[in-house]
Amino acid sequence: MSAAKLFDLTGQVALVTGASSGLGVRFAQVLADAGAAVVLVARRADRLAAVRDRIEKGGGRAVAIAADVTDRAAMTRAFDAAEQAFGTVTVLVNNAGVVASGRAVELSEADWRRVIGTNLDAVFFWSQEASRRMLAAGRAGAIVNIASMLGISVTKGVAPYAVSKAGVIQLTKAMAVELAFKGIRVNAIAPGSIEFPGGVWDQRKTDNPTLYERTLKSIPFGRFGTADEVAEVALFLASPHARWITGQVLSVDGGQLLGA
Ligand SMILES: NC(=O)c1ccc[n+]([C@@H]2O[C@H](COP(=O)([O-])OP(=O)(O)OC[C@H]3O[C@@H](n4cnc5c(N)ncnc54)[C@H](OP(=O)(O)O)[C@@H]3O)[C@@H](O)[C@H]2O)c1
């Protein structure tokens, strides 16, 4: 098979959480462009519908399913609906994520639980559900978890976020070692600072220009990353190009972590 053909995801069903904005929209688009039928999950149904319509207009196949990733019953319904539409989910991108900023001593219990519940607990339960269904169907597959460079290094004011992403990295390795025997690969991406319209770094450019400039200086490439630069790595990890790769964390950060 030619190297280019290894990016072909025809016949795969890819479920992307957090597909209503930011990186998740690009993950869904890139996977659909590669031929996967795409299942879009997030809470904002109107935004999901717009993403679905754009993918379909471009000739892709997509279904939008409104669900809160922290709701286990909604998760089961989402996988059932995905199967009804396209068949067993064989690619799962755990991308939905939230942040809570502020010093640990001032953090509320609600903020701690919201971040850990969304960024870590949900990644476990969605991965568990996806792999149970792949095993039952006798299908191999790929799980791609979106961690963060803050799961590896740390700064002030990010305790629950950093803990959740560090947990995702260990979860990636723990599930990879258990699922490899059935051909299910589990990998993670640790993005650095990614800038796109409406994204956190786009907002900080005006809200907190000092932090924006300091962060920019910390990136050896001298610029922020783009959503495409992360999405294309997700495609690589989801595709047969990465068929001998599991349990790995790929930093996609322009070298940002090297100087941290
Ligand atoms: N942008 C960066 O620089 C950067 C860097 C490192 C890592 N990351 C990680 O990349 C991922 C995407 O980040 P982003 O920058 O694209 O953020 P974003 O634009 O805020 O998007 C977050 C997505 O998660 C969804 N989401 C949040 N809570 C949810 C819930 N309870 N149930 C279902 N969906 C939920 C949101 O959809 P709804 O609100 O519609 O539910 C939205 O689609 C996150 O895991 C983030 O930690 C981002």
Side-chain angles (χ1 to χ4, degrees), residues 82-214:
E83 274 178 19
Q84 211 162 18
F86 299 131
T88 307
V89 171
T90 51
V91 173
L92 171 66
V93 182
N94 279 308
N95 163 73
V98 290
V99 290
S101 306
R103 297 294 165 101
V105 288
E106 287 160 4
L107 195 77
S108 69
E109 179 178 346
D111 272 346
W112 174 268
R113 296 204 185 283
R114 181 174 60 86
V115 175
I116 300 293
T118 309
N119 296 8
L120 179 56
D121 295 350
V123 172
F124 173 68
F125 290 117
W126 285 69
S127 299
Q128 184 188 51
E129 186 69 19
S131 42
R132 278 178 178 165
R133 290 178 186 239
M134 281 188 248
L135 291 171
R139 297 288 306 267
I143 297 174
V144 180
N145 294 326
I146 308 305
S148 165
M149 65 177 278
L150 287 172
I152 303 167
S153 69
V154 82
T155 57
K156 288 177 182 167
V158 295
Y161 184 80
V163 169
S164 71
K165 296 299 189 179
V168 165
I169 287 172
Q170 276 299 76
L171 178 63
T172 298
K173 297 175 188 177
M175 293 197 74
V177 80
E178 289 190 19
L179 292 168
F181 81 115
K182 288 290 185 188
I184 301 174
R185 299 179 298 101
V186 190
N187 291 291
I189 295 175
S193 301
I194 312 300
E195 188 177 7
F196 47 83
V200 65
W201 288 104
D202 190 36
Q203 284 161 21
R204 281 187 187 142
K205 204 188 305 187
T206 42
D207 292 357
N208 192 342
T210 312
L211 178 62
Y212 181 90
E213 287 303 326
R214 199 172 60 227

Side-chain angles (χ1 to χ4, degrees), residues 18 20-23 43-44 67-69 95-96 146-147 161 165 191-192 194:
S20 61
S21 66
L23 297 179
R43 292 165 301 185
R44 288 170 292 178
D68 183 326
V69 292
N95 163 73
I146 308 305
Y161 184 80
K165 296 299 189 179
I194 312 300

